[in-house]
């Protein structure tokens, strides 16, 4: 058990819809990262938050947004969903930011299926 | 920008034997860390081992060890005494310290099958 909790585990929805994925980091971790894993794109970094502030953006679409709340949990919002958004979405957390020896601990992921 | 190349998409090894998974990367930074993660069929992402780029000594974690060649930007993973539970996809991932963030850049992964 990594200590990172992601909900829900599975999500099935239709094109054009909006969903919210939730992540609770490990106790004490201030950084939260979101990754997307799809068959054609592999594992891609989406966005990082540290103590409520956005710190880095990767290949995140404009239809996607995220935030980190004062209690440090994070939400990834995906809107106007398309078939190509079907993927496994991981949240990871680490203790610090900019100190890259801190390993990232991953949640079990949310599998999103767009019908 | 960093790039990671894992050129062997699939590998197979007999149980109890040794296997080496290759990884090369490209970065212009001097201060970074390298990680190997495994993803078993359960789809969890599990940290296997990490290496500090400034250390010459190769990291070891039980049956897992790395061969880090900084000049060649090569970071291979050796698994000794392979076990059935090692069957998984393995990802190499450097993490560059920019002072503001430390995102991981993943390779495409290597699917390792351990045969009984």
């Amino acid at each position: 058990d990594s200590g990172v909790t992601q909900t829900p585990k599975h999500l099935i929805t239709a094109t054009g819809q909006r969903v919210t994925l939730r992540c609770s980091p490990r106790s004490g971790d201030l950084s939260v990262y979101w990754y997307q894993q799809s068959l054609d794109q592999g594992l891609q970094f989406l966005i990082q938050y540290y103590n409520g502030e956005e710190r880095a953006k990767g290949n995140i679409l404009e239809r996607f947004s995220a935030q980190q709340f004062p209690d440090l949990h994070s939400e990834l919002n995906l809107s106007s969903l398309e078939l190509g958004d079907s993927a496994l979405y991981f949240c990871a957390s680490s203790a610090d930011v900019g100190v890259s020896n801190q390993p990232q601990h991953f949640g079990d992921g949310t599998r999103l299926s767009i019908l | 920008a960093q790039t990671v190349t894992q050129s062997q998409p699939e590998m197979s090894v007999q149980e109890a034997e040794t296997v080496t998974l290759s990884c090369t990367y490209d970065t212009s930074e001097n201060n970074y860390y390298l990680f190997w993660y495994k993803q078993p069929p359960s789809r969890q992402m599990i940290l296997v081992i990490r290496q500090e780029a400034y250390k010459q000594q190769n990291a070891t974690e039980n049956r897992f060890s790395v061969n880090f060649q900084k000049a060649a930007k090569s970071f291979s993973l050796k698994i000794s005494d392979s076990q059935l539970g090692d069957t998984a996809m393995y990802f190499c991932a450097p993490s560059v310290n920019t002072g503001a963030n430390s995102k991981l850049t993943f390779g495409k992964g290597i699917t390792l099958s351990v045969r009984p």
Side-chain angles (χ1 to χ4, degrees), chain A residues 92-106:
Chain A
S93 73
S94 68
D96 209 335
V97 66
V99 181
S100 51
N101 68 328
Q102 296 294 320
Q104 294 180 24
H105 298 271
F106 284 74

Side-chain angles (χ1 to χ4, degrees), chain B residues 27-47:
Chain B
T27 179
S28 57
E29 301 292 332
N30 201 42
N31 183 15
Y32 55 93
Y33 296 82
L34 297 150
F35 299 87
W36 278 96
Y37 282 84
K38 68 181 273 189
Q39 188 177 36
S42 65
R43 307 297 279 176
Q44 294 174 306
M45 291 290 291
I46 302 166
L47 176 67

Side-chain angles (χ1 to χ4, degrees), chain B residues 48-66:
Chain B
V48 175
I49 198 166
R50 65 180 166 181
Q51 171 79 41
E52 290 88 345
Y54 64 85
K55 283 189 177 178
Q56 299 227 345
Q57 185 174 6
N58 290 322
T60 299
E61 283 285 339
N62 301 313
R63 299 182 294 108
F64 299 88
S65 61
V66 301

Side-chain angles (χ1 to χ4, degrees), chain A residues 11-19 21 35-42 44 46 59-65 76-90 110-115:
Chain A
L11 204 47
I12 302 173
T13 188
T15 54
Q17 296 299 305
R18 173 190 171 93
V19 297
L21 313 184
Y35 294 88
Q36 180 195 56
Q37 186 176 30
S38 61
L39 283 174
D40 53 346
Q41 297 291 330
Q44 289 201 92
L46 295 178
N59 299 319
I60 187 167
L61 300 171
E62 286 191 10
R63 300 184 285 109
F64 295 1
S65 64
L76 178 67
N77 300 296
L78 315 176
S79 61
S80 302
L81 287 168
E82 302 175 0
L83 293 176
D85 297 329
S86 294
L88 186 56
Y89 290 85
F90 283 107
T110 292
R111 180 166 293 284
L112 176 63
S113 299
I114 313 300
L115 302 180

